[in-house]
Amino acid sequence: MRAHEIAYFKLIEGDKQFQVPLYQRTYSWRKPEWTQLWDDILEQAETLGDGDRRTPHFIGSVVLAPGLMSAGDTQRWLVVDGQQRLTTLMLACCALRDRFRNLSPRDGERIHKQYLVNEYREELDFYRLLPTQADRAAFIACVDSDPTAGGNDGIGAAYRFFRDALIACAPDGDVETLKRLEVVLRAGLSVVEITAEAGDNVYRIFESLNNTGVRLGQTDLLRNYVFMLLPGGGERVYTKIWLPMQTELGAANLELLAWLDLVIRGDDRVKQSEVYRAQQRRLDEVVRSGGEQALEAEIAELRRRGSLLMRIVEPTREQDPVLRAVLERLQEWGGQISYPLALHMLDLLDRGAATTDQVSRALGYVESFLVRRMICHITTSNLNRILNSAPRELETDRPLDEAVRRYLSGPRRNWPSDEQLRQAILDAPFYWQGRANQRRFVLKRLEQSYQAREPVDFAAADLTIEHVMPQTATPEWLALLAEEITDENDPKELHSALLHTLGNLTLTAHNPALSNHPFERKQQILDDSALRMNREIADAPRWGKAEIRARGMALTDRAIRLWPPPLPGGADLEDERRSWVLLRRLLAEIPTGSWTTFSDLATVIGVPASRIGGYLGSRPGLENAHRVLTSEGTPSPSSRSRDDAPADPRDLLAVEGVPFSDTGVADPTRRLGPAALAASIGLDIADEERPAAHRFRSQLAEQGLELTALVDKILDHWQARGGSLHYGSSTEVSCRLQIPLPGSGKGWIWPLLIYPQTGVIEMAFRQLSTRPPSTPSNSALSCVTASRGSKGCTCLATDALASPNYPLALLADGGTDHLLEAMNWFIDRLKPLPETTASATPLATPDNTLIAEFETTMRSVYTRAKTEAGYNANQFLRMLTDYGGLATAKRLLANPRISEGFAALYERQRLDLTVEAHVLDPKFASLFTEAELQTARDWLTQFGYRP
């Protein structure tokens, strides 16, 4: 094997093709890896923009093996290792090409030909990279700029991530900025190209690279190197200095310390992943100039700083109560963003160059800087650089606290002023800002500012964020808001504008109880709260626009007292421009086959829906604008599409896979609501600490008070009749109504699944055939029809509709009573027959026996795939848990593409373990339609497996 370092572009240039072999896993990088790569690219670009030249940033190795030459002499290479970064870089190039095409078409076409394709080749030889079979269609769609590019799969998500990142980086379409990014991709990123010789066993190479030993960490390498430089006193230094330091800090904090030590010495651009090399270079110089004695002094200095670091990581170690309090707040805020500056301050304090009061005030300014930026939704993209550079750039001829405030108030550091803070609190959707713990932190600090004589024990209290005016706009709340409309179009627009602002939010332990109740009921609950802010809300005579804005003003006054402002001239934000940049980022992240509404976007951004409509209407050709529809799921009359596309957005959406009804309404299950939109650009909206049942109820609340009550009635009735509830673990928390199978007592049967965000009930009609006669009467098994607004009832227990979905809205107007009647019929049929009859008639029909057996078989598939093929099918197991074996198989068969599990088992030559192979087992054939059986045959036959 041969290895050498090479620039990324040098690796891919020329008439060549990289093929990912079948034994490789499918594309698996996700947001953490994309973000790390993009941060590296941005840092290189910033350095280039400052006129500095840095050595290329090393991003890893790529192991290649020669493949067969094509008929057109295209050199083919098998990607033995490194396919994840290679695929990701190609997708970043796709996104950069598409951004250029709107601004500088010639540059866009050049990137397409130089980076992505072999211009004069045909068919698959045309593409410079060929991922595995499962990823190929999605990747080719991105390269070809196909309308289906950017779907919900991993490839599509990566492509959308880079589209969004490019908009955030150069929102005004600065071509020079984009060209710097291309220079970084071309020459600023390097890989080690390792080339196998012809005849090498490439699979063994792959196995050796990915399944051998435990890699040494950065501090393992550093420790080994340090003591190689100490041949004389190494044992003494290790016993007296290094080992106590290593014991006190632990491996993770020791690596963190080694990085922070470099940062506060002035190397503010070093990455934590590069600690070993950077410290190695520094310590080499120490030994050259001072020998072993100087190196021992450096290790002692590192240990001293380690003890200081532990006061930051564990603030209870700090003796001064005021300083301990501010360290605890920064620790509660989360992350290591403040560590470099905090360690620098404690270092100055330890050396006598600053006082405890100065350090406390200075850290208070850091807290204010972080909190105000979060409330005003200032991007965190340059935050690391600002705070990491502070130890080197702080003025040393003035008190520390004054120097820190002056530094953070500097140009382009975006420390919001009092007026900008006030505007954000009144108008911006605070509920989408920062991380969940940071939002709770802000509300907690505001509550503490009341200085109650009996303060709340926040550590013991299970508090979550509550919307006083609820997220679902019930008729009662809309009627209240209708009285206060000024510049808004209607009460719904006013509701969207006020809903997530800080003035409408509070902390409570009674979130489920408060739900969507009218304000009078919420007053009763909040009046019993120990929180002063809640009792203030309870004292209000009503809760509308005036009260929410008045509370926002009052909270602003408290926030200004808690978090001091920058020095005059330190705030240089552009609020209007930031809103439209955020809008364009949201548009870039809408997946192919999905749509959203003007009001959903308005809820996330914090501007009226009418202004969003005006912005989109004034900019023809804006990316993905055709995916924004009205709340009814129809195009706005003012909608405009791309110049080269059909005039009607419905045509574009239909090509991308969005179904429309006969009346021209988009499929509501494809709609991205505010929560999904916010999550798409990295806004932290998840509350994973809450139990699944709690999250199910929160998601259900979005369907409105009436439907929530009807679903409660169904769930209560089901449990009263002996059934139980099983909650799923996916983003949308499903609720499965299940009951034990009769007879053996083994296994479960479930006729209903409820999806709270999608707003549908899935009816497993096949489960309703418990024994002959299998078809119940229309009067007993009644379900409202799928036509919206119909009050009729239709029996749909047919083989053709084994698991139909119905909107929850159809539970109204008598639909719930019909469903309860069907549930009673179903449970009654499960009761054992008298003994004289039981001997002649089985307790369950073959269908139900088969369903239970198929469930067992599917779970054995998971176990066998793991033990026999080395494939851990976690997603498949989650589907089994959420939906059961039969529904999981049907969902997989309904997918137009093969599943990740199918692809993984194909690569391992174990298609006999696929769901498709078991579906075609003759004993299970009666559980599936002929179309489903044919789909299974087609997939297996296409991939060379004879069922």
Side-chain angles (χ1 to χ4, degrees), residues 303-445:
R303 183 188 177 185
R304 183 185 70 84
R305 284 181 170 161
S307 297
L308 299 178
L309 174 61
M310 292 309 297
R311 286 158 63 182
I312 299 171
V313 175
E314 299 175 7
T316 53
R317 296 182 180 223
E318 175 55 52
Q319 298 300 309
D320 184 84
V322 176
L323 180 54
R324 180 171 64 249
V326 70
L327 287 172
E328 286 175 341
R329 293 199 298 271
L330 287 172
Q331 186 70 5
E332 186 178 351
W333 182 259
Q336 300 175 2
I337 192 75
S338 62
Y339 281 13
L341 190 48
L343 183 59
H344 176 64
M345 292 182 194
L346 292 186
D347 192 37
L348 293 175
L349 176 63
D350 196 50
R351 294 175 183 276
T355 67
T356 302
D357 288 344
Q358 289 172 351
V359 173
S360 299
R361 282 192 296 271
L363 288 173
Y365 291 136
V366 174
E367 179 188 339
S368 174
F369 180 74
L370 294 172
V371 171
R372 285 184 175 231
R373 282 173 59 104
M374 184 275 268
I375 294 175
C376 294
H377 197 191
I378 310 302
T379 177
T380 60
S381 59
N382 65 338
L383 196 52
N384 278 312
R385 186 171 180 183
I386 291 172
L387 295 178
N388 289 359
S389 299
R392 175 171 53 84
E393 297 188 19
L394 287 179
E395 298 169 289
T396 57
D397 58 349
R398 61 182 69 248
L400 176 63
D401 52 333
E402 183 180 335
V404 169
R405 191 176 191 185
R406 285 173 60 85
Y407 173 77
L408 296 177
S409 299
R412 296 188 301 280
R413 292 186 181 126
N414 294 334
W415 187 357
S417 66
D418 288 347
E419 184 53 38
Q420 289 162 337
L421 183 66
R422 186 179 306 278
Q423 194 68 38
I425 288 177
L426 290 177
D427 298 328
F430 175 80
Y431 193 64
W432 303 128
Q433 314 307 342
R435 297 193 297 271
N437 68 293
Q438 293 170 346
R439 296 191 289 272
R440 286 193 291 269
F441 174 88
V442 169
L443 284 164
K444 171 186 168 181
R445 289 279 281 139

Side-chain angles (χ1 to χ4, degrees), residues 902 911 914 916-917 920 936-945 947:
F902 187 102
L911 288 179
T914 59
E916 288 77 2
L920 294 178
R937 290 190 202 99
D938 290 345
W939 280 126
L940 291 169
T941 303
Q942 181 177 337
F943 285 84
Y945 181 81

Side-chain angles (χ1 to χ4, degrees), residues 423-538:
Q423 194 68 38
I425 288 177
L426 290 177
D427 298 328
F430 175 80
Y431 193 64
W432 303 128
Q433 314 307 342
R435 297 193 297 271
N437 68 293
Q438 293 170 346
R439 296 191 289 272
R440 286 193 291 269
F441 174 88
V442 169
L443 284 164
K444 171 186 168 181
R445 289 279 281 139
L446 289 169
E447 168 63 28
Q448 289 172 331
S449 71
Y450 285 87
Q451 297 182 335
R453 283 178 293 181
E454 296 182 6
V456 174
D457 183 357
F458 285 95
D462 181 20
L463 299 176
T464 58
I465 295 179
E466 162 71 8
H467 292 76
V468 183
M469 180 177 66
Q471 298 193 57
T472 301
T474 63
E476 295 90 344
W477 284 97
L478 291 177
L480 185 151
L481 293 175
E483 305 169 9
E484 299 180 285
I485 292 176
T486 52
D487 299 329
E488 300 81 16
N489 287 332
D490 53 39
K492 288 185 177 180
E493 185 171 310
L494 179 56
H495 173 265
S496 294
L498 296 171
L499 177 62
H500 296 311
T501 60
L502 189 56
N504 188 49
L505 302 174
T506 189
L507 291 172
T508 179
H510 302 287
N511 202 306
L514 290 164
S515 187
N516 290 346
H517 289 303
F519 182 59
E520 292 76 12
R521 173 58 181 144
K522 292 196 171 192
Q523 280 180 302
Q524 298 170 4
I525 298 173
L526 293 174
D527 193 45
D528 292 333
S529 172
L531 273 65
R532 290 283 298 275
M533 65 168 64
N534 287 346
R535 295 205 294 272
E536 277 189 354
I537 296 170

Side-chain angles (χ1 to χ4, degrees), residues 646-927:
D648 191 342
R650 280 174 292 206
D651 295 337
L652 282 172
L653 290 169
V655 170
E656 294 173 355
V658 176
F660 281 81
S661 68
D662 294 339
T663 58
V665 176
D667 181 355
T669 65
R670 301 296 186 92
R671 174 178 171 178
L672 291 187
L677 287 169
S680 72
I681 58 171
L683 302 182
D684 181 10
I685 61 158
D687 196 354
E688 298 297 337
E689 297 175 356
R690 297 164 69 184
H694 193 156
R695 287 186 283 127
F696 170 82
R697 297 203 55 78
S698 296
Q699 294 173 4
L700 179 64
E702 297 182 7
Q703 300 297 331
L705 192 60
E706 180 184 4
L707 287 179
T708 299
L710 293 175
V711 171
D712 283 343
K713 184 177 181 180
I714 292 169
L715 300 183
D716 291 344
H717 185 80
W718 179 256
Q719 293 180 95
R721 292 297 314 270
S724 62
L725 307 178
H726 176 83
Y727 296 96
S729 58
S730 301
T731 302
E732 179 176 16
V733 184
S734 63
C735 178
R736 187 173 78 201
L737 283 69
Q738 62 184 26
I739 198 166
L741 279 168
S744 67
K746 297 180 180 180
W748 296 85
I749 188 169
W750 50 94
L752 297 175
L753 291 99
I754 299 176
Y755 296 90
Q757 285 183 326
T758 310
V760 299
I761 294 182
E762 179 181 298
M763 299 194 176
F765 278 120
R766 189 180 293 277
Q767 298 265 7
L768 301 180
S769 300
T770 58
R771 56 175 178 256
S774 63
T775 306
S777 66
N778 287 356
S779 61
L781 178 57
S782 306
C783 295
V784 288
T785 62
S787 56
R788 185 175 296 275
S790 171
K791 299 181 182 179
C793 300
T794 305
C795 175
L796 294 173
T798 67
D799 288 342
L801 291 172
S803 299
N805 292 336
Y806 295 94
L808 285 175
L810 298 182
L811 292 175
D813 298 327
T816 301
D817 293 335
H818 290 303
L819 184 56
L820 292 176
E821 183 183 358
M823 289 166 62
N824 285 333
W825 174 90
F826 170 70
I827 293 173
D828 290 341
R829 296 277 290 180
L830 284 178
K831 293 178 180 178
L833 295 175
E835 191 169 326
T836 55
T837 311
S839 60
T841 306
L843 288 176
T845 65
D847 265 2
N848 275 328
T849 303
L850 279 178
I851 290 169
E853 185 178 353
F854 189 76
E855 171 83 15
T856 303
T857 300
M858 289 297 95
R859 293 189 177 274
S860 73
V861 163
Y862 165 76
T863 303
R864 291 181 62 200
K866 186 173 183 179
T867 57
E868 298 176 21
Y871 174 57
N872 194 6
N874 287 328
Q875 180 61 29
F876 178 63
L877 182 60
R878 282 194 291 270
M879 291 180 70
L880 289 177
T881 302
D882 285 354
Y883 311 122
L886 185 61
T888 293
K890 288 178 174 292
R891 285 170 178 266
L892 294 174
L893 292 171
N895 197 317
R897 295 177 179 169
I898 62 170
S899 66
E900 179 180 333
F902 187 102
L905 292 170
Y906 171 67
E907 292 169 0
R908 292 164 172 78
Q909 299 183 12
R910 289 303 305 269
L911 288 179
D912 60 300
L913 293 177
T914 59
V915 170
E916 288 77 2
H918 288 83
V919 164
L920 294 178
D921 187 327
K923 68 180 177 181
F924 295 132
S926 62
L927 298 178

